[in-house]
Amino acid sequence: MSSLTTASDTALPDAVPRRITMLLAVTCGLIVANLYYAQPLAGPISTSLGLSHAGAGLIVTMTQLGYGAGLLFIVPLGDLVENRRLTLAVTALATVALLAAALAPSAAVFLPAALMIGLGSVAVQILVPFAAHLAPEAKRGQVVGNVMSGLMLGIMLSRPAASFVAQVSSWHAVFFGSTAIMVVLMAVLHRALPQRVPAQRLAYGALLASMLHLARTMPLLRRRAAYQFCLFGAFSLFWTTTPLLLAGPPYHLSQAGIALFALAGVAGAVAAPLAGRAADRGWIRPATGGAMVLAAASFGLTHAATPGTPLALGLLVAAAILLDFGVTANLVLSQRAIFSVGADYRARLNGMFMAFFFLGGAVGSAAGGWAFAAGGWPLASAIGIALPVLALLFYASEWRGRRGA
């Protein structure tokens, strides 16, 4: 039984206990990291399992497909099923899948396990609206921002952590280690999380059908999803292409050097709590515009020095921080906005919003890989600038609408 009381569908009147906010932030970071461990390890995993270079892409793709399916078919259950039980069940699925991946003797075992890792990792998107539910209205942005800072740290730290562990041991150790972490985490969540029983009594089919109705009737959801599609597309493009840029001429960084570069993005996670506080003060719209400007400017900054010089490398680091800051801020601002619409369908709104978020990332990664091969960093960064600028143009229509234009 939980150590806290059961939560109803009305937000708690007092502030969320700090230990619960911290637990949710750490949990989201540890679970979401499972999505990204395989990305820097695709080479050694494919070699070990006998996959071709073309087949190596399936290692990441299967995880992404599982996560996308979970956003649409599991996350909405947060509006129907008791949230703690649902979180534990989905995390258990990820735990079993991680163990299967660690023990996999062949690609035929590893790839389905990767699919299930993605499916089980959507537990984080059950917990984010859960945190919004626990928080009172006046503190909701702050709580969501704090939780999202943990999630973004998990995303940014997972790749270098996997690289370092694999370098001193093997890729198997990464998945064994995460399996152990998930087991401990589930025990802690079972004891510490409050229960939350949704008021909804819809059948599962009706629950899924209602998502289409919400998408059609909620312009706020569509607008915020479009904003984040563009910004996360730019984010994914940057982190797909910069390792290629840094590994080749004129930088010639080692894998360890690229892993250290990736750590620079961690500084952007500080945007999450700051954006949450700005949202609670009613600054969502101006802060959104600022986040988009930062994202666009970050790519321009990379052209302010001669490539290969220490200054150019320093500007790439600064660009990584600015981009991550802008994308993280916009994510928190958007979730704060859509979570204010109604408690009864927060999980469904979050599932649809994050599905667009995820789709933008997939498009950005694909565009970045093509652009870098076709035109190097100049073409890739031009697309990186264009995506947040496109979001800014759409954002300008929001301001015009507010002013009666």
Side-chain angles (χ1 to χ4, degrees):
M1 177 60 67
S2 168
S3 62
L4 296 180
T5 58
T6 300
S8 69
D9 250 349
T10 303
L12 299 182
D14 300 317
V16 182
R18 183 180 295 274
R19 64 189 180 88
I20 294 298
T21 302
M22 181 63 70
L23 173 62
L24 290 171
V26 171
T27 297
C28 285
L30 291 173
I31 294 176
V32 80
N34 295 327
L35 290 170
Y36 298 96
Y37 288 140
Q39 287 189 357
L41 306 179
I45 291 173
S46 61
T47 300
S48 173
L49 300 180
L51 279 170
S52 66
H53 288 301
L58 289 173
I59 293 171
V60 176
T61 300
M62 294 299 285
T63 306
Q64 292 174 334
L65 288 174
Y67 192 69
L71 287 171
L72 295 176
F73 298 108
I74 293 180
V75 171
L77 287 170
D79 290 333
L80 191 64
V81 178
E82 194 278 304
N83 285 187
R84 186 184 65 173
R85 187 171 75 236
L86 178 62
T87 299
L88 290 171
V90 177
T91 306
L93 173 63
T95 305
V96 173
L98 287 162
L99 181 60
L103 296 170
S106 66
V109 175
F110 186 91
L111 293 178
L115 182 74
M116 292 300 105
I117 289 172
L119 199 66
S121 296
V122 297
V124 297
Q125 300 306 335
I126 298 167
L127 290 173
V128 174
F130 178 71
H133 169 79
L134 292 177
E137 175 66 24
K139 296 289 185 180
R140 187 163 292 139
Q142 179 179 336
V143 171
V144 170
N146 288 338
V147 172
M148 290 303 298
S149 66
L151 186 147
M152 294 306 296
L153 283 171
I155 291 174
M156 297 309 303
L157 289 172
S158 56
R159 298 180 184 93
S163 295
F164 288 133
V165 171
Q167 188 169 354
V168 300
S169 182
S170 71
W171 67 263
H172 300 274
V174 175
F175 291 93
F176 277 126
S178 189
T179 300
I181 290 171
M182 291 300 106
V183 170
V184 173
L185 187 60
M186 284 192 294
V188 174
L189 292 176
H190 181 267
R191 181 173 181 80
L193 276 189
Q195 293 181 334
R196 184 237 163 183
V197 181
Q200 291 287 330
R201 293 296 179 265
L202 293 173
Y204 180 62
L207 185 79
L208 295 182
S210 70
M211 294 170 68
L212 295 175
H213 173 74
L214 289 171
R216 285 196 306 267
T217 58
M218 290 190 60
L220 173 67
L221 173 63
R222 297 195 300 271
R223 181 176 288 277
R224 285 284 157 182
Y227 292 168
Q228 196 61 17
F229 177 97
C230 292
L231 265 68
F232 195 63
F235 175 94
S236 295
L237 180 147
F238 182 91
W239 288 107
T240 298
T241 55
T242 49
L244 302 174
L245 172 67
L246 294 172
Y251 293 99
H252 298 291
L253 292 190
S254 65
Q255 283 300 113
I258 293 171
L260 288 173
F261 173 81
L263 289 175
V266 172
V270 74
L274 295 177
R277 287 167 174 79
D280 287 338
R281 294 180 180 181
W283 300 345
I284 290 180
R285 283 195 293 126
T288 296
M292 294 173 180
V293 170
L294 280 180
S298 65
F299 283 92
L301 191 63
T302 65
H303 295 282
T306 303
T309 62
L311 177 58
L313 183 58
L315 290 175
L316 273 171
V317 172
I321 295 170
L322 286 179
L323 177 63
D324 290 5
F325 192 98
V327 173
T328 302
N330 189 69
L331 174 60
V332 173
L333 293 165
S334 295
Q335 288 185 307
R336 174 64 171 84
I338 63 174
F339 289 161
S340 298
V341 175
D344 289 345
Y345 36 84
R346 279 190 189 127
R348 281 167 283 176
L349 294 176
N350 194 52
M352 289 185 286
F353 173 75
M354 293 305 298
F356 247 78
F357 174 100
F358 175 79
L359 179 61
V363 170
S365 293
W370 167 83
F372 193 83
W377 179 247
L379 179 58
S381 61
I383 297 174
I385 292 172
L387 285 168
V389 167
L390 181 62
L392 271 168
L393 292 174
F394 190 32
Y395 166 79
S397 72
E398 177 183 355
W399 276 92
R400 287 196 300 270
R402 295 280 180 171
R403 293 172 181 175

